[in-house]
Amino acid sequence: MQKFIITGGRKLRGELALQGSKNSALPIMAASLLCGEEVVLKSCPRLTDVYAASRILNCTGCKCSFSGSTAVIDPRDVSRTDIPETLMHEMRSSIIFMGAVLGRTGECTVSIPGGCELGPRPIDMHLAALRKMGADIREEHGRIICSGKAHGTKISLTFPSVGATENIILFAVNADGETVINNAAREPEICDLCGFLRKCGADIKGDGGSSIIINGVPKLHGCEYNIMPDRIAGATYLSMTAAAGGEIILTNSCITEMEPFLSVLEQTGCSIMTCGDRIYLRSGSRLKAVKERIRTMPHPGFPTDAQAVLMAALAAAEGTSVFEENIFDCRYRHVDALVKMGADIQAVGKIAVVKGVNRLHGADVAATDLRGGAAMVVAALAADGTSSVSGIHHIDRGYEKMEDAVRLLGGDMRRS
Ligand code: UD1
C-alpha cells in the first residue's frame, strides 16, 4: 500500500493551476450518456473516481478515452442497462448513473450504494423523486430495478441533496412535459451540469436557485465543454499554504463559488486577494482562530467538503475555533489523526472544538476518507518533523497527483 511521506516546516510558494472539479466531472460524465453524439470534456481531472465513472460508461456501451485532461465520450452504442455491483461499489456517486441510464433507455438496474466512510448515505429522496416522475422501481436483494419514461411533475425535496437533484435533472431532460424541483441543491456543480446539458440542447432554467425548471426535449446532441475548476481542491491548497506559511497564486480558480470558504479563511489573518480567475494568498504569522462558529451548510453556506482541511489549518492557530457539521453524521474521522499530531480537538456529535496548539508534530497516520486524508496532509506540511499518511487511495479519488502539486510549491512530500 502506498503512503505519502511529508516533512513539514517548509513554506509554500508559487503558482498552481486548479484541476477540474471532480464533483462536476462525475455527473457530467453520466449526463453524456443522454447525448446522441460524441461529447468532449476539457479540464476533466485525472482521478480514480473519474476512471471509475468511465468504467461504468464502458459497461453500458459508451466509448470513453482520455488524452491529458480531455475526455472523449461516444454514447452512440449504449446497449447495456444493468450496472454490476462491483462497479457500483467503486464509488458512492455511481448512483447518479441511475437517472441517466433510465432517461436514455427506459430501464436501469443498479445496486444500493450502502453506507460509506461518512456514515449512512441513504438514497430515499432519489427513489421517491424518480417514482413521482413515472419510474417503476423495485428493490430485490440489494439491486434496484427501474423502468419507465419520465413525465413532468413537481418535486419538493425535504433537503437540498446534491445527488438527488442531479438524478432528477438527468431523468427529466428527456421527459414529456415540465419538471419543477423545489428546494433543489444550489451547489455550483449543479449549475455546471445544467450548463453542459443546455449546451447539448436541454431546456433548463433556475439552476443556482432553489427552484429548477426542466422542460423535456426529445433529443440531446453532443458538445465540447470545459468542466469548472475544483473549489474543494482550491480550498485544500489554500489551507495548506495558510497552515505552512508562504504565498501562492491559484490560477484557473472560481472566486464567486469559493466565496463561502474564502470569507472564513480570511478571518484567520491571511491576506487574500482575487482578480479574474486568480486567488492570491499570503500567510505570514501564526493563524488566528475563527471567532464565529463554522457551520457546514448546503451552498452558499460553508462547504462540508472543506471542513476537514480548514480544521487542520486551525489546529495550530492562536485561540479556539468551533465547527458544527450539519451535512454528514461521521465527518470527524480525521480528528484522531490530527490529535496524534499534537492537536487539541474534542469532537462530540455535530460539534468539534479546536483549541489551537503552538506546534503540531509529525506522526504516522492513516487517511479514512478523501477530505479527511487531505486534512492530514495539510497538518503534516505545517508540523515539525516527518509524517507518513497511509490509505492514500482515498486522497487519489479527488486530487490529481497531490504530491506533485505540493512539490511544485516547494513542499517536501513524496509517494512511497
Ligand atoms: C455531494 C458531493 C459531496 C458533498 C455533498 C454535500 C459529489 C460526487 N459528492 O454528495 O462531495 O460532500 O454533496 O455537499 O458531488 N441524504 C438523504 N437521502 C437522500 C440523499 C441524501 O438522507 O436520498 C442525506 C445524506 O445522507 C447527507 C445529506 O443528505 O446527510 C447530503 O447529501 P447529498 O447532498 O445528497 O450529498 P451527495 O450528493 O451524496
Side-chain angles (χ1 to χ4, degrees), residues 352-373:
V353 178
V354 184
K355 290 187 183 153
V357 294
N358 277 329
R359 296 290 301 169
L360 297 173
H361 54 75
D364 294 345
V365 292
T368 50
D369 63 270
L370 166 58
R371 306 303 171 186

Side-chain angles (χ1 to χ4, degrees), residues 157-203:
L157 294 175
T158 48
F159 178 88
S161 155
V162 174
T165 304
E166 289 167 347
N167 250 330
I168 298 166
I169 294 170
L170 291 170
F171 193 34
V173 281
N174 294 130
D176 292 328
E178 180 184 90
T179 307
V180 179
I181 316 173
N182 289 321
N183 200 24
R186 297 163 64 189
E187 267 63 10
E189 294 76 16
I190 298 281
C191 300
D192 211 27
L193 170 65
C194 293
F196 166 78
L197 286 166
R198 270 192 293 268
K199 207 166 175 195
C200 297
D203 179 355

Side-chain angles (χ1 to χ4, degrees), residues 380-402:
L381 287 167
D384 293 328
T386 298
S387 300
S388 81
V389 180
S390 60
I392 61 175
H393 58 282
H394 290 292
I395 298 176
D396 290 333
R397 284 185 40 222
Y399 296 90
E400 266 185 356
K401 297 232 170 93
M402 184 188 264

Side-chain angles (χ1 to χ4, degrees), residues 22-24 26-27 92-93 96 118 120-127 159-164 166 185 187 189 231 297-298 304-305 326-329 331 371:
K22 168 180 88 74
N23 287 357
S24 272
L26 300 177
R92 150 89 202 180
S93 2
I96 44 175
L118 306 181
R121 289 178 80 169
I123 53 162
D124 52 321
M125 281 189 259
H126 301 237
L127 298 181
F159 178 88
S161 155
V162 174
E166 289 167 347
E187 267 63 10
E189 294 76 16
R231 62 194 173 105
M297 298 293 267
T304 175
D305 285 349
N326 293 305
I327 309 293
F328 290 106
D329 289 340
R331 213 159 196 187
R371 306 303 171 186

